[in-house]
Amino acid sequence: MDSLDLAKLSDLDFEGLCKDMLERLLGVRLEIFSSGPDGGIDLRHYASNQTIIIQCKHWMKSGRAKLITHLFDRELPKLDRMRPKPMRYILATSVEMTPAAKEKILDGFRPYIQSTGDIYGLAEIASFLQNNPEVVRKNMRLWLNDATILEAMISKNVIQRSLHLADDIKETLRTYVPSANLHKAMNLVEKNHVVLVSGPPGVGKTTLAQVICAQYADRGFNVVEVSENVEDVYRVWHDGEPQIFIYDDFLGQTSLDDKLHKNEDSRLLSLIRRIRRDSTKRFVCTTREYVLQQARQRYERMDRGDLDPLTFTVDIDVLGREERAQILYNHVYWSEWPASAKRHFSHPDVYRPIIRHRNFNPRAIADLLSTPFEPELGEPGTQVIAALDDPTGLWRHVFDHQLKESDRDILRLLFTFGGKADLSVLGKAYLGFTNRGLSHFKASLKIINGTLVRVFDEGLRSYVEFINPSVNDFMFMKFSEESDLIVRVLENPFSFDQIALLYSYHDAPIDAEMPARLNLTPFQGEVEEAAMATLERDATTKRSRAGRAAVCLSIAGSMHVPRVENWAVQRLQQPGFVYGGSSDDITALIRITHGSTNRRIRQLRDSVRLEGLTSLFNRDRSDSGLFIAASHALDLAEFVDDGIREALCRQADEMFEGLLEQYSRDPDDVDSDMVDNGLDYMLRYGELWQHKWPSAATLLEGWIPEEAQSFEGSEEESDVDPEYVDGDAYLTMNSLRFLE
């Protein structure tokens, strides 16, 4: 490790490096603090007999003179105000320190700094790293300018186009955040010498491949980039020499497009077999999952090649809150956006919606932050949210140019089933929607599986769902832009659930966080025909007949669909019909019939209310049934007689108080179902339960952790210290607040 460039580290990276270094040198564990006006503390060791305060100053751009001025003007007064005073103060800086500069700082900071040995400048840090390569490996971004690694990448054995790969990897490592994906992919490479990295656009396939190459470069492997075909590998192959070959989009960037030349499939599989037998070689390929499936369908040899054990699909869901915060921090820190814009991301109200966004995508964030900042487009955080909200950039090109019509039809159909469908149901719906055979359905599903959708088993049934919520959002945009898609579904319906889904987007509240709405008004006739064709198909819907009636009443309330209205009204007039619905169905029917402006529907309100409430209050005869009935009484308070509601709640209150008393005596003797239902009932009281049953807070922690989790994102969250709520994510993002 001849040369390490600390300028490539962010402030947060440098602080983490100092922590690793000084923990080894001092032999103690150090606490890390949030950056900023912290009383002069970045790292601390606290013990009864010794308190060590460490300040980390990554001031390479500012220089030694400005650093010394800052120390005396800003940091020394903080030490003087500190109570109790530290016994030892250590300064670590990326600035080159001369002996005279160290003496000046020592004289000014006595007695806090005990000797010039407590001042670590660039030379001391570099010397430590030279002798502790394991610390360098732990701090990945220190690899960026390690001369031995660059020599490995740009050796005489690397083909000319690989000369640019070193720069690409340097950029990758600057923002990369290690995750479980890296660990799992590295295990595959170690075991098989080969890994095929697949996944949807934007999740980091190429990034992961480059980081794997950097890991092996650190171990002495020459890195070779393959661009054309496997002949590139054979041209630079050297027996016995450690080499790792990286082949990005080895099956084509968008689709096969004749990427595999004559016999290329055979040569590729032959190369894979050869590398798997050779301990000095590694092979890392990337591809989009649907392109891999296309290759398997088109090339028999690849289908027989059993590539599954070598394939690793990047899973963005493994990224926790801390990893997402680090990704956001790195891209913000290294962007060319002004410091004022970067500081904007330090506030919890800004970074929380980003790192919790359901469409969180490193590429979308990187692409936006790599462009010049445009204030007229809104606040910085708002611009990132907009980029995550709009999935068209990721999926539009794939959908419009890389898929066949049969592939697109599966995506269109899956959207109408809410983004998830039983595999057999989807296949049957496909037959009527496309007039193609099941062979086309299976072939297309295989192509898009792993990229746009995933096929999985639950129990004895198989299901298909969109691989990412952004795919569903994109399909929603397609339907809102192309009304002929709506007509096509309505003219070829398979399940009433499809009509209900389309109507839910038509009837969505105006303030719903959706990019558009579906306008079904011009297609009232088609809606009515589709509904009537599917309402009696019990086997194709997940809804009970009462649930279907509720949807029909909603449609009839806003559209002219007399036959649909008649179907629902006639069935609701049948004694006992409401009893067959779920609790949600019954609640919906009660609310719809009471709130409808349609005279025929409003005439049903008394009978629906009586039958519905009778069912809700009596359907559970267990001990917990009283809690369930009282919960319904509170939820539907405006429809329940005051006397009945008060009586139910009084009995439930008494039962819950007895449950709390029993729990205080012997927690293990309490029935868990009773507690769950009791707590669910108690929470219906809103904030009152904290005064009514203060001891119930203990139960909440132990019995229904999902309630505690729901605190995240609630209004109350803003009243709690963000460092407590967000932990390391807060420490990471808050450091942007003090960028110069």
Side-chain angles (χ1 to χ4, degrees):
M1 299 183 185
D2 303 321
S3 174
L4 292 168
D5 187 359
L6 299 186
K8 298 300 182 182
L9 300 182
S10 69
D11 292 352
L12 205 62
D13 294 330
F14 181 71
E15 193 171 289
L17 172 63
C18 292
K19 180 176 184 292
D20 292 337
M21 177 183 73
L22 290 168
E23 282 184 337
R24 286 174 177 264
L25 292 175
L26 301 176
V28 299
R29 182 179 177 276
L30 297 173
E31 301 172 86
I32 195 164
F33 286 78
S34 170
S35 300
D38 46 25
I41 303 174
D42 287 326
L43 305 171
R44 182 183 73 173
H45 170 68
Y46 180 79
S48 58
N49 62 341
Q50 186 182 39
T51 301
I52 303 173
I53 300 300
I54 299 167
Q55 193 74 47
C56 306
K57 294 297 181 184
H58 191 28
W59 278 51
M60 297 192 77
K61 295 180 181 179
S62 300
R64 185 168 53 246
K66 287 188 176 181
L67 171 64
I68 293 175
T69 300
H70 172 84
L71 290 173
F72 281 95
D73 291 348
R74 302 286 295 277
E75 301 303 331
L76 185 57
K78 294 179 185 177
L79 284 174
D80 291 336
R81 293 193 299 268
M82 199 174 292
R83 297 291 185 274
K85 293 188 179 299
M87 300 176 182
R88 187 178 180 186
Y89 180 86
I90 295 174
L91 172 67
T93 177
S94 53
V95 172
E96 183 68 64
M97 301 299 293
T98 63
K102 286 190 175 185
E103 288 293 342
K104 182 176 181 179
I105 295 172
L106 174 63
D107 290 342
F109 275 71
R110 294 183 191 276
Y112 307 119
I113 297 181
Q114 299 176 359
S115 72
T116 56
D118 282 346
I119 302 174
Y120 293 83
L122 179 61
E124 289 77 19
I125 295 174
S127 175
F128 171 84
L129 295 175
Q130 294 285 344
N131 296 314
N132 294 271
E134 66 278 7
V135 175
V136 177
R137 294 189 182 96
K138 181 179 178 182
N139 292 266
M140 185 177 296
R141 268 169 281 286
L142 280 175
W143 303 357
L144 292 173
N145 283 49
D146 187 338
T148 59
I149 292 177
L150 293 182
E151 288 172 6
M153 292 180 178
I154 312 175
S155 71
K156 63 183 186 324
N157 296 322
V158 178
I159 55 181
Q160 183 63 34
R161 58 181 161 268
S162 293
L163 295 176
H164 303 291
L165 184 60
D167 289 335
D168 291 342
I169 293 179
K170 287 166 62 177
E171 286 300 311
T172 292
L173 291 178
R174 188 161 69 164
T175 57
Y176 183 72
V177 175
S179 71
N181 283 321
L182 176 61
H183 177 72
K184 293 177 182 178
M186 282 294 295
N187 285 343
L188 270 182
V189 182
E190 286 292 285
K191 178 181 179 181
N192 302 308
H193 300 175
V194 177
V195 64
L196 310 181
V197 181
S198 70
V203 296
K205 299 183 297 297
T206 300
T207 295
L208 179 61
Q210 291 179 351
V211 173
I212 292 172
C213 287
Q215 297 268 9
Y216 277 97
D218 184 51
R219 290 159 55 174
F221 278 68
N222 287 333
V223 181
V224 181
E225 183 180 23
V226 182
S227 295
E228 295 298 325
N229 53 53
V230 296
E231 287 303 311
D232 289 346
V233 176
Y234 291 116
R235 280 197 293 270
V236 296
W237 183 287
H238 290 269
D239 289 333
E241 179 179 306
Q243 292 174 293
I244 181 167
F245 306 97
I246 177 173
Y247 196 173
D248 200 21
D249 288 319
F250 78 108
L251 296 175
Q253 189 172 26
T254 57
S255 62
L256 281 178
D257 292 331
D258 295 324
K259 173 75 175 183
L260 296 184
H261 305 299
K262 184 177 181 181
N263 296 324
E264 177 76 359
D265 55 332
S266 176
R267 290 185 292 169
L268 180 62
L269 293 172
S270 176
L271 173 64
I272 289 174
R273 288 192 294 269
R274 181 176 178 181
I275 290 178
R276 293 190 69 180
R277 296 192 301 266
D278 193 327
S279 62
T280 68
K281 300 294 183 286
R282 300 291 187 271
F283 192 26
V284 182
C285 305
T286 73
T287 183
R288 299 185 180 189
E289 185 65 22
Y290 63 86
V291 180
L292 178 60
Q293 298 303 335
Q294 287 176 342
R296 283 175 162 172
Q297 290 185 21
R298 188 179 302 183
Y299 299 98
E300 182 181 359
R301 294 189 187 95
M302 291 196 70
D303 194 34
R304 297 199 311 262
D306 194 18
L307 301 178
D308 287 344
L310 309 177
T311 302
F312 174 76
T313 302
V314 178
D315 182 7
I316 202 168
D317 290 337
V318 305
L319 299 177
R321 179 172 55 193
E322 290 76 16
E323 289 89 356
R324 292 182 177 212
Q326 290 172 25
I327 290 171
L328 177 61
Y329 170 89
N330 288 343
H331 285 296
V332 170
Y333 183 91
W334 291 110
S335 75
E336 296 299 322
W337 285 22
S340 58
K342 295 180 181 181
R343 289 194 292 268
H344 184 78
F345 289 95
S346 67
H347 197 282
D349 290 344
V350 177
Y351 69 72
R352 279 176 181 164
I354 297 173
I355 65 176
R356 296 173 181 177
H357 201 288
R358 62 176 187 153
N359 295 340
F360 184 87
N361 185 289
R363 177 190 289 177
I365 294 172
D367 287 347
L368 175 66
L369 291 168
S370 66
T371 62
F373 177 62
E374 299 183 28
E376 62 273 14
L377 297 181
E379 295 288 343
T382 303
Q383 292 191 36
V384 175
I385 291 294
L388 297 177
D389 283 340
D390 179 12
T392 58
L394 283 175
W395 305 118
R396 187 176 294 278
H397 182 74
V398 172
F399 185 88
D400 290 343
H401 303 290
Q402 299 171 17
L403 300 179
K404 297 180 297 185
E405 191 65 12
S406 56
D407 308 336
R408 299 186 192 105
D409 280 340
I410 292 180
L411 300 176
R412 292 162 178 154
L413 269 180
L414 189 56
F415 169 75
T416 67
F417 283 97
K420 178 181 178 180
D422 182 289
L423 177 59
S424 62
V425 170
L426 190 64
K428 293 173 183 177
Y430 181 87
L431 297 180
F433 188 68
T434 66
N435 293 318
R436 302 188 192 95
L438 277 178
S439 60
H440 287 87
F441 172 76
K442 293 177 180 178
S444 289
L445 186 60
K446 196 171 185 181
I447 285 175
I448 61 177
N449 183 28
T451 299
L452 293 155
V453 305
R454 65 170 182 155
V455 181
F456 62 98
D457 295 326
E458 283 184 1
L460 300 177
R461 304 183 73 85
S462 296
Y463 293 87
V464 184
E465 71 175 4
F466 287 130
I467 199 166
N468 187 291
S470 68
V471 184
N472 188 81
D473 291 345
F474 169 71
M475 294 309 303
F476 175 45
M477 289 293 294
K478 293 294 288 185
F479 270 75
S480 67
E481 294 168 354
E482 303 173 23
S483 59
D484 59 307
L485 293 179
I486 298 175
V487 175
R488 188 176 167 198
V489 172
L490 295 176
E491 290 180 346
N492 301 278
F494 177 77
S495 167
F496 182 76
D497 294 345
Q498 295 173 277
I499 289 83
L501 185 283
L502 293 179
Y503 180 75
S504 71
Y505 284 114
H506 167 84
D507 194 45
I510 293 181
D511 61 348
E513 295 182 0
M514 297 193 301
R517 294 168 70 191
L518 301 185
N519 182 15
L520 300 185
T521 303
F523 315 115
Q524 294 182 106
E526 289 86 348
V527 169
E528 184 168 45
E529 290 294 334
M532 295 308 300
T534 55
L535 274 168
E536 298 291 339
R537 296 180 186 174
D538 294 343
T540 67
T541 179
K542 297 177 290 185
R543 286 177 168 79
S544 67
R545 293 206 163 199
R548 278 171 263 171
V551 175
C552 287
L553 292 182
S554 294
I555 296 175
S558 62
M559 303 176 70
H560 180 66
V561 283
R563 287 191 292 157
V564 172
E565 178 183 318
N566 288 339
W567 186 92
V569 169
Q570 290 173 9
R571 277 145 188 82
L572 287 170
Q573 290 173 339
Q574 299 171 3
F577 178 80
V578 175
Y579 288 117
S582 67
S583 297
D584 289 341
D585 294 337
I586 294 172
T587 298
L589 285 170
I590 292 174
R591 294 189 182 280
I592 291 170
T593 53
H594 273 71
S596 177
T597 58
N598 184 308
R599 183 181 57 82
R600 291 186 68 203
I601 296 174
R602 281 183 63 84
Q603 286 178 341
L604 298 168
R605 60 181 179 178
D606 291 337
S607 61
V608 168
R609 181 179 70 90
L610 178 61
E611 194 171 306
L613 292 177
T614 301
S615 175
L616 292 177
F617 292 159
N618 294 283
R619 59 176 45 194
D620 191 328
R621 298 288 183 175
S622 68
D623 291 338
S624 298
L626 180 58
F627 288 139
I628 296 173
S631 296
H632 289 310
L634 289 174
D635 290 341
L636 296 168
E638 64 268 41
F639 309 114
V640 181
D641 179 82
D642 290 344
I644 294 175
R645 184 182 68 256
E646 291 169 2
L648 281 172
C649 290
R650 182 173 59 255
Q651 296 176 57
D653 288 357
E654 293 172 355
M655 181 181 289
F656 188 65
E657 288 166 358
L659 194 65
L660 285 175
E661 184 179 345
Q662 182 182 0
Y663 180 83
S664 66
R665 292 196 308 268
D666 187 0
D668 295 332
D669 195 39
V670 179
D671 180 79
S672 61
D673 289 337
M674 282 284 288
V675 173
D676 284 339
N677 285 294
L679 290 174
D680 182 71
Y681 160 70
M682 173 202 72
L683 291 171
R684 296 298 198 278
Y685 278 97
E687 297 180 358
L688 294 177
W689 69 266
Q690 299 180 53
H691 304 287
K692 195 175 181 69
W693 300 293
S695 62
T698 304
L699 282 173
L700 277 174
E701 293 177 2
W703 287 101
I704 51 171
E706 65 274 10
E707 291 295 340
Q709 292 169 6
S710 68
F711 171 76
E712 185 172 288
S714 67
E715 293 182 5
E716 291 81 1
E717 182 183 35
S718 60
D719 298 328
V720 182
D721 182 358
E723 187 169 352
Y724 173 80
V725 175
D726 297 340
D728 288 343
Y730 170 79
L731 295 178
T732 297
M733 300 307 301
N734 188 59
S735 63
L736 292 170
R737 180 181 172 192
F738 306 99
L739 290 178
E740 296 295 330

